Amino acid sequence: TDGTHTPAFTPLEAVSCASATSCTSGGIANELAVFDSGTWIVSTIANMPDGPFSLASISCPAAGFCAAVTYGGDIAYEEAGSWTSVTP
């Protein structure tokens, strides 16, 4: 980070960066923090099938395209800034 912005939640469970200016991190209750060009934006993944769980892993091979899994086994993916939950 640039030291001026911090996600609004802790702890972080997983983080993935597609580039030096594009990162997505996850924490408790399906919360996400997205770092884009120097700014953190906090949001959640809505409508997870089994409710809110901490994110266990997240992978973002490209900016705006990520996949995440919770400790409860729920899966979600992001395309162009929109998150969708998937029933495994």
Side-chain angles (χ1 to χ4, degrees), residues 4-75:
T4 61
H5 298 89
T6 304
F9 62 90
T10 56
L12 296 177
E13 299 285 336
V15 64
S16 181
C17 298
S19 71
T21 60
S22 177
C23 293
T24 301
S25 60
I28 60 173
N30 302 338
E31 289 184 317
L32 298 170
V34 177
F35 183 72
D36 185 22
S37 301
T39 302
W40 283 102
I41 300 167
V42 178
S43 64
T44 60
I45 301 173
N47 303 318
M48 292 297 270
D50 292 324
F53 287 98
S54 293
L55 292 179
S57 183
I58 191 164
S59 179
C60 303
F65 182 76
C66 297
V69 63
T70 69
Y71 284 107
D74 292 332
I75 300 166

